[in-house]
Amino acid sequence: MDEEISSRSWGYQLNAGGRVRNGRMKVVEGELLWLHLFLVFQNWSGSLIVASLTGAFGSSFLYGYNLSVVNAPAVYIKKFYNETWERRYGFSMDESTLTLLWSITVSIFAIGGLVGAIIVTPIVKFFGRKCTLLLNNVFAVAAAILMSLSQVAGSFEMLILGRIIMGVDAGISLSALPMYLSEISPKEIRGSLGQVTAIFICVGVFMGQVLGLPEIFGTVRISVAALIQVVILPFLPESPRYLLLEKHNTSKAEKAFQTFLGKEDVSQEVEEVLAESRVQRNTKLVSVLQLLRTRAVRWQVITVVVTMGCYQLCGLNAIWYYTNNIFSEAGINRETIPYVTLSTGAVETLAAVSSGLVIERLGRRPLLIGGFGLMIVFFAVLTVSLTLQNNVSWLPYLSIFCILAIIASFCIGPGGIPFVLTGEFFQQSQRPAAFMVAGTVNWLSNFAVGLLFPFIQSGLQTYCFLVFAAICFAGATYLFFVLPETKNKTLNEISLAFAKRNKVSLEMQEMNHYHEERKSSAEQESNFTSSVDNGETKQNINVYMTIHIFI
C-alpha cells in the first residue's frame, strides 16, 4: 500500500519505493525521513512555536526542574533538617525518622500535583486554557518564596509546604498545557507539538541538576521561569477550539487559527471544528463520573490510566529523585557522581528531542511499546550489574550505561506520548475530565514511587529495579494488544478504532457520551447540511451519521 506524506503547503505523495509521483522530484529511500521532517516543519508558524515554548517553559519545565532539584542538595537538606530538629528538641534525629522525613519532602510534591489535577477541570472551563496557565504562576511564585525563606526562618515545614504548592502548580500545568497544545496544533504535527511537554520536562530535569545549588534550593529559577511565561503568553491567542466550542466566539476563533496556522484562509479548520460542534450541539461538559460511566470511551479511559500509571511506575522518577544514592550504591566515586548525574539529564533531553522529530513518522504505538521493551532489557542488565559489581571492577561503568540507556528508552516514547494520547482520545467536552483522570493517576503513582522507593531499595537491595521491569512488561503487553495507532487521525477515526472494542457504534457513542436532549429530526438535518462545503468535513459527518458497528 502506498505511503502518503501530506502537508497543507506541499502536495507530494510518496510511494513505498520512496519516489514522488508528480515526477518533479525523486527521493531515495535514505532521504525519506528528512523529507518527512521538512514537510512536518512547514506546519509550524512562528506563533505556534512561541506558544509551545513559552507555555512549556513556565509549566512542564518547572515540573522537570522540581523532580531533580532536590537530588543535588540532598545531603545539605538532610543536614538542615537535623540541625533544625536538634535546635528545637535538644537531640539529633534518628536515621529512620530522617529517611521518612526526606521521603515525605520528595513525595509530597506529588500530593500537591494531585490537588492541581483535581481542580484543573473547573479552572480551564471558566478561565480557558491560556489564562489557566497564566494564573497558575501564582502558585509557582508563592512556592519559591516559601522555600527561599525556609532556612532564614529555620523551618523545614516551610520547605515542605513550598514543595506542596509547587506540586499544585505542576498538577495544573501538566493538564492545561497538553490540552492547550493539542487544541492549537494541526493534526499533521499534533504528536510533535505534544512532545514539547516531554522535551521541556527533560530540560527542566537537566537544569535542576546544573543549578540545584543547596544554598537556595533552586527557588530563584522558579521565579524566572514563571516571569517569562507571564510576560509573553498574554500576547498569544486562547485555544481556538475553546473559543469556538465553549465560548461560541467564531470571530476570535478564526483569528486564533490564523495566528497559530500562519495563514489567512482557515475556513477548513473552522468547519472541521463546527462539524464536531453540530454533533454535540446540546452537550455539556462531561464530569469525571460521567466519563467513567460512558461505555463508548471505556477502553480509551483504561488505556490512559495504564499509560499514565506506567509513565510514573516504570521507575524513572525513582532515578531522578535518588540518582546520587543509586550511583553511590553502584560504587561510583563520590566526586564523580555530580558529573555522571549531569549526563543523565543531557541524554534525556537529546532522546526527547529525537522522539519529537520522528513521532509523526514512526507513530505513537511503536515508540511506546519499543520504549517500554528496551527499559525491560536494561533494567535486567542493571540488576545483574549491581549484584555482581563487587566482583568485577568495570561493572560500575556498565551500571552507568544501563541507567543512561533506561533514560533514553523512556524518553523516546513513554516520556511524552501519554500526554499526547490523552488529548487525542476524547471529544472537546470530555477532554478536561479525561485530563483530570490522567492527572490523578499520574500524581498518585508519582507519590507512591517517591515515598516507597527508599524502602523498596532497602528491602530488595540490587533487585529493586526488577519491580519496575515487571511494570514495563505489563504496560508493553497491554499496549501491544489494545492501543491503535493515532498518527494523523481525526477524532472520528480514533473513535472508530475503539468502537469495536467498546462494543458500540459511533452513533451510540454520541448518545452515551452526552445523554443530550435530541433535537427534532428536521432541525438536525438542517444543522448537518447547512454550510458544509468541504469534502473532508462531509465525510466526517457521514461517519457520525451512517457507521454502525455492533459486536
Side-chain angles (χ1 to χ4, degrees):
M1 181 178 291
D2 288 347
E3 178 182 14
E4 297 185 0
I5 299 178
S6 62
S7 167
R8 285 189 173 85
S9 304
W10 299 81
Y12 299 128
Q13 289 185 323
L14 305 183
N15 59 27
R19 303 293 178 184
V20 179
R21 291 188 197 150
N22 60 16
R24 289 179 294 176
M25 181 178 182
K26 293 185 177 181
V27 184
V28 298
E29 193 70 35
E31 297 170 335
L32 185 58
L33 177 59
W34 292 106
L35 176 61
H36 170 76
L37 296 177
F38 176 73
L39 296 180
V40 165
F41 280 115
Q42 298 301 308
N43 292 281
W44 289 73
S45 68
S47 297
L48 198 60
I49 294 173
V50 172
S52 59
L53 296 182
T54 303
F57 190 68
S59 301
S60 56
F61 171 85
L62 291 182
Y63 169 71
Y65 186 86
N66 282 280
L67 284 181
S68 65
V69 74
V70 295
N71 181 58
V75 174
Y76 301 92
I77 295 176
K78 290 179 181 179
K79 182 180 179 182
F80 165 60
Y81 283 2
N82 216 351
E83 291 174 349
T84 303
W85 186 279
E86 188 172 359
R87 188 165 53 250
R88 289 182 186 178
Y89 305 109
F91 58 92
S92 297
M93 191 183 304
D94 62 79
E95 190 64 29
S96 60
T97 303
L98 182 60
T99 300
L100 178 61
L101 190 58
W102 172 243
S103 297
I104 291 173
T105 304
V106 171
S107 59
I108 204 71
F109 175 70
I111 296 299
L114 177 60
V115 173
I118 291 174
I119 66 176
V120 72
T121 297
I123 295 177
V124 296
K125 171 64 177 177
F126 186 79
F127 291 106
R129 283 54 163 159
K130 185 189 79 170
C131 289
T132 297
L133 292 173
L134 285 171
L135 294 173
N136 195 34
N137 289 291
V138 173
F139 293 108
V141 174
I145 293 173
L146 281 171
M147 289 189 285
S148 63
L149 295 178
S150 60
Q151 281 188 307
V152 177
S155 171
F156 58 76
E157 292 87 355
M158 290 177 62
L159 179 59
I160 295 175
L161 180 60
R163 289 278 294 172
I164 296 175
I165 296 175
M166 196 65 238
V168 175
D169 172 270
I172 293 174
S173 65
L174 283 191
S175 293
L177 177 64
M179 203 181 305
Y180 183 58
L181 295 182
S182 68
E183 292 178 5
I184 68 175
S185 62
K187 66 178 182 293
E188 292 87 356
I189 60 169
R190 193 172 54 210
S192 296
L193 192 66
Q195 282 293 89
V196 170
T197 301
I199 290 170
F200 269 77
I201 290 175
C202 301
V203 174
V205 168
F206 181 66
M207 294 304 296
Q209 294 168 341
V210 174
L211 301 175
L213 300 177
E215 293 81 5
I216 54 178
F217 302 146
T219 53
V220 173
R221 265 74 64 178
I222 292 175
S223 301
V224 171
L227 179 62
I228 289 175
Q229 189 179 79
V230 169
V231 170
I232 298 177
L233 203 57
F235 296 98
L236 296 167
E238 178 57 85
S239 159
R241 293 180 64 87
Y242 171 80
L243 292 171
L244 198 57
L245 294 181
E246 299 185 34
K247 291 301 181 182
H248 310 293
N249 192 325
T250 304
S251 61
K252 284 189 176 180
E254 288 178 348
K255 292 179 180 178
F257 269 128
Q258 289 169 346
T259 300
F260 287 128
L261 300 182
K263 63 180 185 178
E264 289 297 321
D265 183 10
V266 294
S267 58
Q268 178 179 338
E269 287 75 18
V270 171
E271 194 55 53
E272 286 176 357
V273 178
L274 286 176
E276 179 184 339
S277 177
R278 293 186 190 101
V279 175
Q280 49 178 309
R281 185 174 294 271
N282 290 332
T283 67
K284 297 180 180 179
L285 195 68
V286 174
S287 69
V288 171
L289 188 59
Q290 288 173 322
L291 185 72
L292 296 177
R293 287 177 174 176
T294 303
R295 179 180 176 183
V297 293
R298 180 173 300 166
W299 281 96
Q300 289 94 314
V301 172
I302 293 173
T303 302
V304 165
V305 169
V306 170
T307 53
M308 275 296 178
C310 292
Y311 168 77
Q312 292 291 351
L313 297 176
C314 69
L316 251 290
N317 281 351
I319 290 177
W320 293 136
Y321 286 144
Y322 306 105
T323 305
N324 287 4
N325 188 42
I326 292 172
F327 283 144
S328 178
E329 292 293 326
I332 307 300
N333 186 282
R334 185 166 294 275
E335 288 73 25
T336 309
I337 287 178
Y339 302 98
V340 178
T341 301
L342 286 180
S343 69
T344 63
V347 167
E348 185 183 31
T349 303
L350 291 174
V353 171
S354 301
S355 176
L357 292 175
V358 302
I359 185 174
E360 298 299 350
R361 167 66 177 165
L362 300 179
R364 287 70 158 144
R365 178 182 160 87
L367 289 178
L368 262 178
I369 298 173
F372 281 129
L374 289 174
M375 291 178 74
I376 295 169
V377 173
F378 291 117
F379 271 133
V381 177
L382 177 62
T383 301
V384 174
S385 174
L386 292 175
T387 303
L388 301 177
Q389 66 183 5
N390 293 328
N391 301 324
V392 183
S393 60
W394 52 266
L395 276 181
Y397 299 99
L398 179 60
S399 299
I400 295 176
F401 171 79
C402 287
I403 289 177
L404 295 177
I406 289 168
I407 292 169
S409 302
F410 174 81
C411 292
I412 65 172
I417 293 178
F419 298 100
V420 176
L421 294 180
T422 306
E424 291 181 330
F425 281 171
F426 301 95
Q427 303 261 1
Q428 182 80 9
S429 58
Q430 299 169 325
R431 203 166 284 137
F435 272 102
M436 181 185 290
V437 172
T440 300
V441 174
N442 176 36
W443 290 106
L444 285 176
S445 303
N446 187 314
F447 175 75
V449 171
L451 183 65
L452 299 178
F453 180 72
F455 302 99
I456 294 174
Q457 187 181 30
S458 175
L460 296 179
Q461 298 296 322
T462 59
Y463 298 99
C464 62
F465 290 106
L466 292 180
V467 175
F468 301 126
I471 293 171
C472 291
F473 178 78
T477 303
Y478 172 88
L479 294 170
F480 179 81
F481 288 106
V482 175
L483 180 67
E485 182 55 66
T486 61
K487 178 185 68 174
N488 287 334
K489 290 185 178 179
T490 64
L491 179 62
N492 298 348
E493 292 168 338
I494 295 172
S495 297
L496 178 60
F498 277 104
K500 184 176 181 179
R501 192 173 294 277
N502 286 323
K503 298 184 179 180
V504 293
S505 70
L506 288 184
E507 184 176 290
M508 184 62 69
Q509 284 188 25
E510 294 305 319
M511 297 171 62
N512 290 338
H513 278 185
Y514 313 111
H515 306 282
E516 60 179 289
E517 295 181 4
R518 307 294 292 180
K519 294 184 178 182
S520 68
S521 59
E523 186 177 359
Q524 289 185 46
E525 182 178 355
S526 174
N527 285 337
F528 276 99
T529 57
S530 62
S531 67
V532 184
D533 298 322
N534 182 270
E536 181 179 347
T537 305
K538 287 182 180 179
Q539 184 179 4
N540 290 343
I541 295 173
N542 289 335
V543 170
Y544 275 99
M545 296 176 64
T546 62
I547 292 181
H548 300 268
I549 299 178
F550 289 96
I551 298 298

